Structure formats: C-alpha cells, structure tokens
Amino acid sequence: MDFTFTEEQQAAVEAARAVFSDVAPDRTPSPALTPGAVAEDIDRHLWHELARTDLLGLTLSPEHGGAGLDPIALCLVLRESAKVLARVPLLESCAVATAVERYGEPTLAAELLPRAGRGELILTVGANGRSGHDPAELAVSARPYGEGDGSDGADGETGGPSGGSGWVLDGVQSAVPWAQVADWIAVPAHTAGGRPVLALVPRTRDGVTLADQVSTSGERLAEVRLEAVRVEPRELIDAAGCWDWLRSLLTTGTCALALGLGERVLAMTAEYTGRREQFGFPVATFQAVAVQAADRYIDLRAMEVTLWQAAWRISSDAGGPLPASGDVAVAKIWASDGVRRVVQTAQHLHGGFGADTDYPLHRYHAWAKQIELSLGPAAAHEEALGDLLAAHPLG
C-alpha cells in the first residue's frame, strides 16, 4: 500500500507553509492577560492571503472555482495552520462548503461556494449543541412552515413542506466559532421524527440572535439562538448522512489541528532544552528529559497515523469492519489525550519559563485545551466507539 501524499496534496502544503510563514502566534494580546476575547475579528490579512493562494477552495470542485482536492489535503493545510495558531475559520468554512457541494441543492452551491472559495463570505457551523455534551442536532428543532399554526404544511418526515413554503427553526447552538463575523451559519437540527437535517442560515436572518462567548484560547464564540427562524427549502439539507459526514469532517479537522499544534510545541521544547544548561550540560541530554520527550513523540506519531486513517475513510468512503465514525473516534481519542500530554510535558520541561506571558508556549497550551474539548473530549469518543463495537462485533 502507498501512504505517500499526492503531488497536488504536497503542493497545497507548500502553499500553506508560504502563507503561514509570516504569521506570528503572539500577534494578538495574551489570552491569560485579556478579560474577554483577544480580538473582535479574524485575521483578515491572513484570510485574504488564503483566498489569494486558492486554499479556501481547496476541497471544492473546479465548477465552483476550487482545486478539487479531498479532505486529506484540507487536513494537511490545517496541520500547518495550527503551528502558528492561525486565527481564521479555515476548518469551519471549508468543511461547510464541502458538505454543501456534496449534499446541498445545486442552486445553493452555486450561490455560496464560489464566493466562499474567494474569501468573500465566511461560513461557520454550530456543532456543540446547547451544552456541548448532547448531540448538536437535538438542540434545534426543524418543522415545516405552517405546521401547528393553523395553515397548511406537509409532514416533516416526507421531504419538506408543501408549496415550497420552507421550514422553521427553534433552539440554541452554543460556542459557535466566529459567528459574529460569519455570513452564513450551518445549523444541525432534528425533525419531529428525530431525523437530523442541516440548515444554512444567514447571520442577519430575522429571529437569529447572538450572545458573545469566549473560548479557552481567548477567541470569540457565540451562543446562537433561533426563534421561529424561517429558512427556504433549498437552505435545508435533508440528505441522509449529511450532518454525520460534516461532523466527522469537523472532528477529523480538529485532530489535524491538534497534530500541528503538538508538533510545534514539541519542536519548541526540543529547542529550549537543547540550549538550557544545568551542571554544564544541556538538559536535553538528561535521561529523564529525553524519555519524557520521546514519549510525547510517540504520542504525535499515534495522533498522525490515526488522523490519516480517519481522513482517508471520509475522503474515499471506503468500507471497513466499522463505519468511518469509528476511525474518527479513535483519531479524536488520540488527538485529545495526546495534545494534552504534549503541552503538559512542554510546560514541565520549560520550567517557570513556560508560564512567561512574553513567551508563546502558554498560548499553545490554551489552544490545546480548546482543541482537546472541541467536538467532544476523549471520554465522549471512547463511549461512542464502545457503542459502535457493540453494534458491529469484530471477528
């Protein structure tokens, strides 16, 4: 089997490295010293550079102005973005755009995707539900317009409302990344029969209200409240598997962010311990230090191999003994636990210097904690994996 990346995927990595080479992770105020969000907006200059180099349309087809690559390429770019703590909704916008192209109506795709690839509009997604613990689609209900108010409306389980009158959304999605600057928000919801659907809602639509929230990393989030929000039939994607696939892509992309961040932190640790001396020798030569660093290197390699397995499954729709969600769960277990161990060891080996707010390590630690818990901590995915194994006995 050939596990090497294609020339196109490698070219995407090279382009990403060139763009991110000018990004400083300490460009914004320290999250440890800032009450509230560290900035009101995304890094607009970086966003425009990503658009200029066609990295925002990486997974879109040429029909919509994209490069036609797969989620593996997106994960490669996300890995590079995390090394510099890039403050852009690259994962959310690209993942939603890819899901719209894969499952949405052609008219909606034609309206949104070329502009998203050019960086002219921003897409984001509410994937945390009301509390972050329950499935996100259960936090919002979707019913055909007119149902329950005395006017005619078709059964929500038979494909949508009669007369093309649209749908109505009610509920809350918390911790939505950069909702305040997004143009469209993808909102998972459920119909009366419990079927998951995905609605694309303009941020300025009547009935949508935002309340500021702040992430562990100091970035801006929002609680998105929907009260009788009307969406057109084409704005609601009810294709089977759409939300599950998008959630898997978001989770896998989060694993790519964890890997890139962990690799950068381990490199910082190697550099510091290589020049920090005690008793006349670099501390990196001490066995206790070397063993801890080696353990974290093993973590990163496990994070890497499980990431590419998950990315390959969702990119190729390849079969296996378990559904692709099983590979995604394994990748997120390693990503959550691994990135936490990497930053904790880095703080330990840096000593007091690691807590210096003039040194960027504490920023990586804050981002690592956010990534660890995003889309569910390791324990949640261990439970999901256990359910899959119970439903699909192996051997």
Side-chain angles (χ1 to χ4, degrees), residues 27 40 46 50 65 77 101 112 140 155 157-158 170 188 199 281 311 316 325 327 331 364:
R27 184 177 292 179
E40 294 297 306
L46 177 57
L50 290 169
V77 174
E101 181 170 65
L112 298 183
V140 177
D155 181 358
E157 301 308 303
T158 59
D170 289 283
F281 297 94
S316 64
S325 56
D327 293 290
Y364 285 91

Side-chain angles (χ1 to χ4, degrees), residues 127-210:
N128 294 300
R130 184 181 293 270
S131 65
H133 298 290
D134 298 320
E137 66 271 19
L138 300 183
V140 177
S141 63
R143 58 181 172 84
Y145 178 70
E147 188 176 85
D149 60 8
S151 57
D152 290 334
D155 181 358
E157 301 308 303
T158 59
S162 61
S165 56
W167 298 77
V168 178
L169 304 179
D170 289 283
V172 175
Q173 290 287 346
S174 66
V176 180
W178 295 111
Q180 296 89 339
V181 299
D183 299 285
W184 291 70
I185 304 172
V187 179
H190 67 281
T191 63
R195 180 165 50 89
V197 295
L198 184 71
L200 274 293
V201 183
R203 172 176 51 84
T204 56
R205 181 68 54 86
D206 289 344
V208 177
T209 57
L210 308 181

